[in-house]
Amino acid sequence: MTNLATPTARDRRRWARYLVDERAEARVYRELASRRTGEERDILLELAEAEGRHEQHWIDLLGETPKRLPSPGIGTRLLSWMARRFGSIFVLALAQNAEARSPYADEPYATAAMAADERVHHEVVRGLAARGRRRLSGTFRAAVFGANDGLVSNLALVMGVGATGVAPSFVLFSGIAGLLAGALSMGAGEFVSVRSQRELLEATEESDFADSALPHLDLDANELALVYRTRGMDPDAAFDKAREVVTAAQAGSAPVAAAPGENSHDVVGSAWGAALSSFLFFASGAIIPVLPWIFGMAGFPAVALALGLVGIALLGTGAMVGLLSGASPLKRGLRQLAIGFGAAAVTYVLGLLFGVSAA
């Protein structure tokens, strides 16, 4: 910040904008901290403190807090609103994106330390959000992608069938049949997938199968050391650990339990929960393209309304996935929209060709 020109009125307005955004972001972190305990709460409060230091930097440049400050940006206001009402993974994901968009790297009146802080804050918030993403990864994944599959597959189905020129009642029947078939298939497939994954994890976990044999092991030719070596210990550490466990077992003490790690079953989720959510969310997505025909519409108005409703839903599911993954919600929403409409266009053209040939 050396050898800078005399600040202009425009510079001062920009500083005021930075000030209110920093103040709002600090408030967001404090709101989130009020809903957390332990380490997460401490981390969020330290983030709020850092944002307060940045706020003070702009106050010092301005000379004092201006009597009239601009309103925070739309993104910052949305973040504050969500933090007050939800305090969830969605807020952390939005905060992660906000930290990534920090303008301080190109701001001549911001210090290098402030720009570095914002980059580090992005990684800190990413780490906090990752904890929530892991908790959501099982059932939530089945729910979101089940809804998306229902939207795309049933839209493609009714577009293809409708393009052949059949009666509206046949389009409605096809849509309902596609909904039930797809939802049952998705639910059954998700149940088998998650249950199989849990069984594989159970097969890899430590067991007490050999505990009853521990007192009879030879201390000098200790086979138990091989067990610890398969778990990643180096030979010397494994042998020392094995001698400790066998000595305790021969003395009549219970075997030393391994330190508990992350429960991989929690990451995978419940098989029944994943299956039920997949069934329900596929059905909730698949019903949307059929709604115009359920309410008695037909022809082009029904097609146009179905496309509009599905388009809105695809943008919503894509934006949600983008938000939770820390990516651009708009780009993810547009990608989902392109995929869904692309699939519908293919089946619609095939339906037109089939209708022409059948005629």
Side-chain angles (χ1 to χ4, degrees):
M1 290 178 56
T2 59
N3 300 323
L4 292 176
T6 302
T8 63
R10 184 177 180 181
D11 290 329
R12 296 181 66 83
R13 287 194 299 270
R14 190 172 67 253
W15 299 346
R17 168 70 65 184
Y18 293 152
L19 188 157
V20 296
D21 284 343
E22 293 286 6
R23 183 174 291 175
E25 288 173 10
R27 189 180 305 117
V28 167
Y29 290 133
R30 284 192 290 270
E31 290 280 354
L32 291 174
S34 68
R35 293 169 170 80
R36 298 291 197 278
T37 57
E39 184 184 35
E40 287 192 15
R41 180 178 183 276
D42 294 340
I43 291 172
L44 288 164
L45 288 176
E46 289 192 28
L47 287 174
E49 183 180 345
E51 302 295 357
R53 291 195 302 269
H54 297 176
E55 175 191 346
Q56 188 60 48
H57 171 82
W58 302 117
I59 292 175
D60 292 341
L61 283 180
L62 289 165
E64 60 181 1
T65 303
K67 294 180 180 179
R68 297 186 60 182
L69 287 170
S71 299
I74 294 176
T76 306
R77 279 182 284 173
L78 175 62
L79 196 59
S80 300
W81 182 84
M82 292 186 68
R84 287 193 298 273
R85 287 161 177 80
F86 302 109
S88 68
I89 176 60
F90 294 96
V91 183
L92 288 172
L94 281 172
Q96 177 183 330
N97 290 338
E99 296 288 0
R101 294 191 301 268
S102 172
Y104 291 168
D106 300 318
E107 171 55 59
Y109 289 93
T111 66
M114 291 170 64
D117 283 349
E118 296 297 313
R119 287 182 176 272
V120 173
H121 290 177
H122 176 266
E123 293 305 312
V124 173
V125 176
R126 183 204 295 272
L128 291 174
R131 299 182 181 187
R133 290 183 182 116
R134 283 193 292 268
R135 290 192 289 267
L136 288 173
S137 62
T139 302
F140 179 80
R141 175 183 59 83
V144 170
F145 291 103
N148 186 72
D149 285 348
L151 287 165
V152 175
S153 64
N154 232 28
L155 176 66
L157 176 63
V158 298
M159 290 296 103
V161 172
T164 63
V166 298
S169 59
F170 192 81
V171 178
L172 175 60
F173 172 78
S174 300
I176 297 298
L179 183 157
L180 291 174
L184 290 169
S185 175
M186 286 287 294
E190 197 66 36
F191 179 86
V192 172
S193 173
V194 174
R195 175 59 64 87
S196 298
Q197 190 172 358
R198 291 176 69 90
E199 290 170 351
L200 286 173
L201 290 171
E202 287 174 358
T204 64
E205 290 179 351
E206 301 173 7
S207 73
D208 59 357
F209 178 77
D211 283 359
S212 61
L214 294 179
H216 307 293
L217 290 176
D218 188 332
L219 280 175
D220 296 320
N222 197 334
E223 300 293 337
L224 185 59
L226 299 178
V227 174
Y228 293 119
R229 289 173 66 181
T230 65
R231 297 176 184 173
M233 284 189 178
D234 62 72
D236 292 338
F239 189 76
D240 291 341
K241 176 69 174 177
R243 283 184 65 89
E244 177 188 349
V245 171
V246 171
T247 300
Q250 291 176 346
S253 302
V256 179
E262 181 182 23
N263 191 344
S264 55
H265 291 186
D266 292 340
V267 175
V268 175
S270 162
W272 281 110
L276 181 61
S277 64
S278 184
F279 177 92
L280 293 177
F281 277 85
F282 183 97
S284 67
I287 194 66
I288 292 176
V290 191
L291 286 175
W293 287 272
I294 290 178
F295 289 102
M297 298 179 66
F300 179 77
V303 170
L305 181 58
L307 287 172
L309 293 174
V310 171
I312 294 171
L314 286 172
L315 285 171
T317 57
M320 184 178 297
V321 172
L323 180 62
L324 289 176
S325 63
S328 167
L330 179 59
K331 288 183 180 178
R332 292 296 183 270
L334 292 175
R335 184 178 69 179
Q336 294 294 95
L337 184 65
I339 292 172
F341 279 13
V346 170
T347 58
Y348 187 78
V349 171
L350 289 175
L352 289 175
L353 295 175
F354 183 80
V356 170
S357 64

